[in-house]
Amino acid sequence: MRKINWFIILLLLLLTINFNPTTWSEEMPEDFCYLEKAIPGIIIDLRYKSSNNFLGRPVKGYENARCVLSKKAAKALESVQEDLQQMGLGIKIFDAYRPQRSVDDFVEWAKDINDTKTKKNYYPDVLKNNLFKDGYIAARSSHSRGSTVDLTIVGFDKNGKAIDLDMGSMFDFFGQKSHPDYQAIPYQAKANRLLLRTLMIKNGFTPLAEEWWHFTYKEEPYPDTYFDFTTK
């Protein structure tokens, strides 16, 4: 009888684990919540639900979307809102939880190099066929884990209307101008970026080096799970 090489079997098992580092789920966990209910006064502008985004159309998975985040991340975000309210300011959410099917839609859009109708506004200095190579589009997103949020700060006019603070670039702009430490923007925009970054870090979020609006809750409850449920 041939002797079993347990070392080889163990090595194969380890390789299997390495090649499949994530799990997938199509169910919304009980420890997720709707941000409009969780955070008083929050303003929500889900860009991927509309045509006001870099695809120029609603994104798959956002047809009837509501703004969702893990309860832990939402609680930390509520603290950011409270900090800003003391200054007469508030937060506006562009995106939070993002279904995997929406990420897949980004990928398919990026592959169609002939669709460039939003290039002038969103990626004027980047070739569309370089979006993967340059890291602007990827097959997976931290948003799908449920504890990443894209946001900005708003002020209010005398009638209570929310006005976005100047951040030096538009949301989802593909280019160096979106980097938090980019210098060729007005002083006030730098100060606004710094305020957002400071408050988010203070309340437990980790910033992204390429996007001033993107933050992930450091103690996210599902660091290895990518969700694909949709909301109604």
Side-chain angles (χ1 to χ4, degrees), residues 135-162:
Y136 294 110
I137 301 291
R140 290 179 184 169
S141 169
S142 60
H143 283 275
S144 300
R145 304 196 299 261
S147 294
T148 292
V149 62
D150 294 338
L151 77 167
T152 192
I153 300 175
V154 297
F156 300 91
D157 65 17
K158 62 181 181 180
N159 297 315
K161 180 182 178 182

Side-chain angles (χ1 to χ4, degrees), residues 157-203:
D157 65 17
K158 62 181 181 180
N159 297 315
K161 180 182 178 182
I163 302 172
D164 291 8
L165 299 192
D166 180 11
M167 290 292 180
S169 82
M170 64 193 300
F171 164 65
D172 258 358
F173 182 82
F174 298 161
Q176 291 188 359
K177 188 187 294 186
S178 293
H179 294 191
D181 59 355
Y182 186 73
Q183 296 300 306
I185 57 175
Y187 172 82
Q188 189 59 57
K190 294 179 186 177
N192 294 338
R193 287 186 180 189
L194 181 60
L195 176 61
L196 177 62
R197 183 184 180 92
T198 299
L199 292 180
M200 293 298 284
I201 292 174
K202 171 195 169 188
N203 287 287

